């Protein structure tokens, strides 16, 4: 199949290269040859492609035709399903609604007419799409899944053996078997000519689909709102796998260190097309496809995500990107689409991740937390570029425009309400991920305590021990993944609140109340009475660093407390407990984090000056803050626990596995499992160290 796919792709090279190089000979390629109704008129050549879900959300191409009204005059963009002639002896095999079954569609209803309307370019283009679907992408998926399974088995066995011997997490080297698997498979999947042809072909597909979306919007504007189905009917003909496979292939190529394959591609036009596809959820409705586009954007902006793969076997490793990767990142960041349109498009997608109507999240392997985690990483990459950071500020200014004259002046380039909706979704996700992770750590602590009592553990039946071990391993994997997601989200909030212009947006309700509640809730979880349940063995395996997390929460509170509204919001929260915050101050001082301790003390001072807090003190008959003797005792216990964590961390070193997902899918909490258990062989995490920047 790979050889046949390569041959078909070579036939597409003349018109693909001609269009990408903007040759005048192929400027009418889309309008003259690549007509979406080809899926209807030539469905007999495309097999099961016509039964797949379409980009517009229809279940099957012919189902889209039926819902669009068949051949009615108001929906003449989609022809009615052709009735295929029945073969001899097959009478009665047609369905009850008068249309033939899928087994009957073996040839065109009118072969002579179909042959007369055939175009060699169209035939080759659509057949190449199908061979990517049934030939190239299955081979890529089999390799990546097999590699992931073998690595998981190897790392899990090594970890279990080390634990049985009373040793710490092992530092794993890539086994010879996996190296052989990669060498044998990638030599076929990354054959130079086929990679070049396939890469340019899928780029042409993305440009074609973006052109259809743009054309549909123009038709919608011309025809009016009553002809919405007419305008969107072109995408109702196209299987969603067309766009999903294109994004998956480009993701795989870049992850394998082949970024130079995009050197011949107009990155500006490609980025504009990707933004168009992301920014039109009313036409590209499949969240599975959107998730693959998000993953593609991430690897285009941060090809170093697989850096560990290319540094194994070296004491120092490579500290910079390849020339091809550097050129790709520079080109992407330099495009107007990235600087002006990508940020609002990603913010919209972040909010839409909750709407999974008609999607089976288990069967379809969709995980909103994984996609939102990738969006957080993309936004952090964009935040490091001043030109893209300006776009974020514009969106924040638009959100605050109704409350501030300054915001109104700067809001013309932003979308009102978009930033506030985005930050609300970020806070909701952070609270869920953080709370869920800490609850799982409490479960892990209970099981570890049970196992520490060897007599009681041995008294359990084998079935009971097996059930507890299975639950224990599941909690460990999911807690690590969710905590990793929470750290990335927290890092993004630290960056946003650190900008004075953006911080003003957080002073508007309902963001103000939600942010104040989140700060108090997280701090109570970290230093309150329940924090003792979080003292698990090997906390670095779960990316859990209490000190780093506390520093990040304190930094958010300190940055927002520059505005008097935030101190007022903290005081108004029913859950506000000055003893908890004073405990955090004592703990930070005990850990020699004097800067953050002073920052949090300043927050407490600001809260104490608010009329709301003074009124509460009077009602409670308090003259000031309570004594901190109990707080100092708790801080001493925390200091002792932190010393043990730091000692354990000194013996570990991170090493990331290089398993890739060619299709970009993730299975519910399996995405968290991959982020936590599979991403680090010894469980350590360098991710949290990013949050320390500028704190101490």
């Amino acid at each position: 199949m790979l050889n046949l796919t390569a041959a078909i792709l070579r036939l597409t090279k003349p018109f693909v290269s001609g269009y990408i190089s903007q040759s005048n000979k192929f400027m009418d390629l889309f309008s003259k040859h690549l007509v979406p109704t080809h899926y209807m008129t030539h469905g007999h050549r495309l097999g099961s492609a016509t039964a797949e879900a379409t980009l517009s959300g229809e279940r099957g191409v012919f189902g889209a035709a039926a819902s669009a009204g068949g051949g009615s005059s108001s929906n003449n963009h989609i022809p009615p399903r052709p009735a295929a002639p029945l073969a001899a002896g097959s009478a009665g095999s047609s369905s009850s609604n008068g249309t033939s079954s899928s087994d009957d569609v073996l040839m065109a209803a009118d072969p002579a007419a179909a042959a007369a309307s055939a175009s060699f370019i169209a035939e080759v283009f659509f057949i190449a799409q199908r061979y990517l679907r049934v030939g190239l992408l299955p081979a890529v998926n089999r390799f990546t899944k097999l590699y992931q399974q073998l690595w998981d088995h190897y790392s899990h066995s090594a970890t279990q053996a080390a634990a049985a011997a009373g040793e710490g997490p092992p530092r794993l080297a890539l086994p010879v078997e996996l190296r052989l698997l990669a060498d044998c498979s990638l030599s076929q999947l990354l054959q130079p000519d086929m990679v070049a042809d396939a890469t340019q072909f899928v780029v042409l597909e993305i440009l074609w689909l973006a052109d259809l979306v743009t054309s549909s919007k123009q038709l919608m504007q011309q025809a009016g709102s009553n002809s919405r189905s007419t305008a969107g009917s072109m995408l109702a003909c196209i299987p969603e796998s067309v766009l999903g496979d294109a994004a998956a292939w480009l993701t795989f190529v870049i992850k394998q260190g082949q970024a130079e394959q995009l050197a011949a591609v107009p990155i500006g036009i490609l980025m504009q097309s990707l933004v168009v596809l992301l920014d039109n959820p009313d036409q590209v409705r499949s969240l599975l496809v959107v998730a693959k586009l998000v993953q593609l954007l991430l690897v285009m902006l941060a090809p170093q995500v697989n850096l560990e793969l290319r540094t194994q076997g070296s004491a120092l490793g490579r500290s910079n990107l390849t020339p091809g990767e550097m050129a790709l990142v520079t080109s992407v960041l330099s495009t107007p689409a990235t600087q002006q349109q990508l940020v609002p498009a990603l913010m919209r997608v972040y909010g839409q991740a909750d709407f999974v109507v008609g999607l089976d999240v288990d069967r379809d392997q969709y995980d909103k937390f994984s996609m939102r985690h990738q969006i957080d990483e993309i936004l952090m990459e964009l935040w490091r570029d001043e030109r893209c950071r300006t776009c974020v500020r514009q969106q924040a200014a638009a959100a605050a425009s109704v409350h501030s004259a300054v915001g109104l002046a700067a809001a013309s380039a932003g979308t009102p309400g978009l930033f506030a909706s985005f930050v609300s979704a970020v806070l909701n996700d952070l609270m869920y991920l953080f709370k869920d992770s800490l609850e799982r750590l409490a479960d892990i602590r209970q099981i570890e305590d049970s196992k520490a009592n060897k007599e009681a553990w041995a008294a359990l039946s084998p079935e009971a021990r097996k059930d507890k071990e299975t639950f224990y391993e599941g909690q460990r994997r999911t807690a690590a993944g969710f905590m990793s997601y929470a750290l990335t989200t927290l890092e993004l909030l630290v960056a946003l609140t650190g900008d004075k212009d953006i911080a003003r947006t957080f002073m508007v309700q309902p963001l103000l109340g939600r942010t104040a509640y989140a700060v108090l809730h997280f701090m109570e979880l970290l230093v309150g009475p329940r924090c003792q349940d979080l003292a698990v063995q090997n906390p670095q395996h779960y990316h859990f660093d209490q000190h780093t997390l506390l520093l990040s929460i304190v930094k958010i509170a300190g940055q927002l407390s520059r505005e008097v509204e935030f101190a007022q919001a903290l005081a108004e929260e029913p859950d506000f407990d000055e003893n908890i915050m004073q405990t955090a101050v004592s703990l930070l001082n005990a850990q020699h984090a004097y800067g953050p301790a002073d920052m949090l003390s300043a927050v407490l001072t600001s809260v104490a000056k608010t009329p709301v807090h003074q009124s509460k003190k009077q009602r409670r008959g308090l003259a000031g803050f309570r004594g901190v003797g109990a707080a100092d005792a708790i801080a001493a216990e925390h200091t002792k626990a932190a010393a043990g964590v730091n000692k354990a961390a000194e013996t570990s070193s991170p090493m990331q596995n290089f398993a890739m997902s060619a299709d970009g899918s993730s299975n519910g909490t399996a995405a968290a499992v991959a982020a936590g258990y599979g991403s680090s062989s010894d469980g350590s995490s360098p991710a949290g160290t990013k949050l320390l920047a500028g704190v101490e």
Side-chain angles (χ1 to χ4, degrees), residues 252-436:
F252 175 74
V253 169
I254 297 173
K255 279 189 170 184
Q256 293 303 316
Q258 301 290 319
E260 63 273 8
Q261 294 291 345
L262 293 175
V265 173
I267 297 298
I269 301 177
L270 175 60
M271 286 300 302
Q272 178 64 39
S273 299
L274 291 173
V275 170
V276 167
L277 294 170
L278 276 180
D279 210 21
N280 286 276
D282 56 329
Q283 298 191 57
V284 182
R285 299 178 183 176
S286 172
L287 287 174
L288 294 174
V289 173
V290 171
K292 293 178 182 179
L293 293 178
V294 169
Q295 186 182 32
L296 171 60
L297 289 169
L298 175 61
V299 298
M300 290 179 70
L301 280 167
Q304 62 268 31
V305 291
N306 262 4
L307 182 63
E308 289 80 4
L309 162 65
R310 298 184 290 274
T311 60
Q312 290 176 358
S314 170
L316 298 178
R318 196 188 64 187
S319 60
N320 61 335
L321 304 177
T322 66
E325 291 167 344
M326 294 176 64
L328 176 61
V329 174
T330 302
S331 299
V332 170
L333 291 176
S334 300
T335 62
T338 302
Q339 298 172 10
Q340 302 169 13
Q341 299 170 288
L342 182 56
V343 167
L346 290 172
M347 288 181 177
R348 289 190 185 93
V349 170
Y350 199 101
Q352 294 157 6
D354 285 321
F355 301 104
V356 292
V357 178
L359 186 67
D360 188 329
V361 295
D362 294 323
R363 182 197 64 193
D364 295 325
Q365 297 185 334
Y366 171 75
D367 178 22
K368 70 173 183 179
F369 294 117
S370 176
M371 183 171 74
R372 284 177 166 174
H373 169 69
Q374 292 173 347
I375 292 176
D376 290 340
E377 290 185 310
I378 295 173
L379 291 175
M380 284 306 304
E381 291 292 329
L382 297 176
W383 182 258
R384 296 182 180 98
D385 187 274
E386 181 59 35
R387 298 164 296 183
C388 301
R389 193 180 304 179
T390 300
C391 183
V392 180
R393 293 192 181 107
Q394 290 172 348
Q395 297 302 322
S401 59
V402 295
H403 301 275
S404 169
V406 176
L408 184 63
S412 59
T415 303
L418 177 60
F419 185 82
S421 299
F422 165 71
V423 174
S424 295
V426 168
L427 288 172
N428 290 339
D429 263 18
L430 181 59
M431 285 189 284
Y432 176 84
L433 292 169
F434 198 60
K435 183 178 180 180
D436 186 274

Side-chain angles (χ1 to χ4, degrees), residues 473-647:
E473 292 297 333
Q475 294 294 80
R476 292 180 77 240
R477 290 191 294 267
T478 307
F482 278 2
M483 184 61 74
S484 175
Y485 291 175
L487 284 172
T488 305
T489 307
L490 194 58
E491 181 186 3
L492 178 63
L493 278 178
V494 169
L496 293 177
T497 57
D499 187 278
K500 293 183 179 180
D501 296 331
I502 296 177
R504 282 295 310 164
T505 308
F506 285 81
M507 300 302 109
V508 179
Q509 295 291 2
L511 286 185
L512 179 59
R514 290 187 178 185
T515 307
Y517 170 78
V519 167
L520 295 176
H521 182 62
F522 296 154
M523 198 167 297
E524 192 276 334
L525 287 175
L526 287 172
V527 304
R530 296 169 56 189
C531 67
Q532 298 301 321
D533 295 334
L534 306 180
V536 296
Q537 300 173 10
N538 191 22
Q540 64 269 20
H541 171 82
Y542 313 102
H543 313 297
F544 177 65
D545 185 339
Q546 184 186 28
H547 178 69
T548 299
L549 289 169
L550 182 59
L551 288 177
S552 301
I553 298 299
V554 169
K555 189 170 185 181
I556 292 175
Q559 291 171 163
L560 291 177
S561 64
R562 292 182 299 227
E563 309 291 341
V564 294
E565 295 92 336
F566 187 70
Q568 184 79 8
L570 289 176
E572 291 174 353
E573 278 295 319
D575 293 335
F576 176 76
D577 186 346
E578 57 216 60
N579 288 330
I580 292 292
M581 299 189 74
Q582 190 60 53
T583 298
V585 172
S586 300
L587 176 60
L588 291 171
N589 281 322
Q591 296 173 339
H592 308 292
Y594 302 116
D598 293 342
M599 183 183 294
L600 187 56
S601 295
V603 174
L604 277 170
T605 301
S606 299
V607 172
K609 294 179 180 178
T610 61
V612 173
H613 183 75
Q614 294 176 356
S615 176
K616 286 183 178 180
K617 286 168 55 178
Q618 292 175 357
R619 289 197 303 267
R620 295 172 184 173
L622 298 178
F625 288 110
R626 296 177 180 177
V628 297
D632 289 334
I634 297 177
E637 292 297 324
H638 278 291
T639 304
K640 188 183 301 182
V645 170
N646 293 334
K647 184 176 181 180

Side-chain angles (χ1 to χ4, degrees), residues 108-125:
D110 187 351
S117 63
S119 161
F120 177 77
I121 290 179
E123 293 282 357
V124 171
F125 178 81

Side-chain angles (χ1 to χ4, degrees), residues 614-688:
Q614 294 176 356
S615 176
K616 286 183 178 180
K617 286 168 55 178
Q618 292 175 357
R619 289 197 303 267
R620 295 172 184 173
L622 298 178
F625 288 110
R626 296 177 180 177
V628 297
D632 289 334
I634 297 177
E637 292 297 324
H638 278 291
T639 304
K640 188 183 301 182
V645 170
N646 293 334
K647 184 176 181 180
E650 292 174 358
T651 64
S652 63
S653 57
M655 178 176 175
Q656 190 135 355
N657 113 37
F658 87 109
M660 302 139 298
S661 175
D663 60 357
S665 63
S666 58
N667 183 13
T669 56
V673 171
Y677 183 75
S679 64
S680 179
S681 59
D682 65 350
S684 60
S685 170

